[in-house]
Amino acid sequence: MSKPRKSLSALLSGDVEATVNAPREKLRVQVAAERPRNVHVKSSLYLDPAVHRVLQEIAFEQRVRIHDLFLDGIDLLLRELGQRSISEIIAQSRKAS
């Protein structure tokens, strides 16, 4: 059996004997249930370290994240292939659901 966790308010007030009695498993289930499902799909991208370094420099200079550069590249590829942009695809998807 796991040891009861101390509540944040108890720790801040100095009352270290106060605890949160809810089991961790129930807390995790409640938090997971409150999150929207399938908001984003995760995908991995493997890059050569030299390419990653150049992208880091570009992102730093433009004050954006590398992720933003990837999305810009995907948008350019979609446009080149005659497809809708990421924002158009997402907007249509949200209308359909």
Side-chain angles (χ1 to χ4, degrees), residues 25 54 67 79 87:
E25 293 77 25
V54 170
H67 177 80
R79 189 177 321 147
S87 58

Side-chain angles (χ1 to χ4, degrees), residues 2 4-5 19 22 25 31 34 37 51 55 70-71 86 91 94:
S2 66
R5 296 183 303 156
T19 59
E25 293 77 25
V31 171
E34 294 170 4
R37 297 182 185 264
V51 173
L55 289 172
F70 294 148
L71 291 179
I86 291 174
R94 288 185 179 159

Side-chain angles (χ1 to χ4, degrees), residues 17-70:
E17 294 303 317
T19 59
V20 176
N21 295 323
R24 283 185 172 189
E25 293 77 25
K26 283 188 178 181
L27 292 174
R28 282 192 197 123
V29 170
Q30 289 171 353
V31 171
E34 294 170 4
R35 273 187 258 146
R37 297 182 185 264
N38 299 326
V39 174
H40 294 95
V41 176
K42 294 181 180 181
S43 184
S44 296
L45 182 64
Y46 297 92
L47 298 171
D48 184 274
V51 173
H52 186 258
R53 197 169 25 257
V54 170
L55 289 172
Q56 281 181 316
E57 291 171 8
I58 293 170
F60 178 77
E61 290 169 4
Q62 293 187 7
R63 296 177 186 239
V64 296
R65 298 172 297 156
I66 292 178
H67 177 80
D68 299 323
L69 299 178
F70 294 148

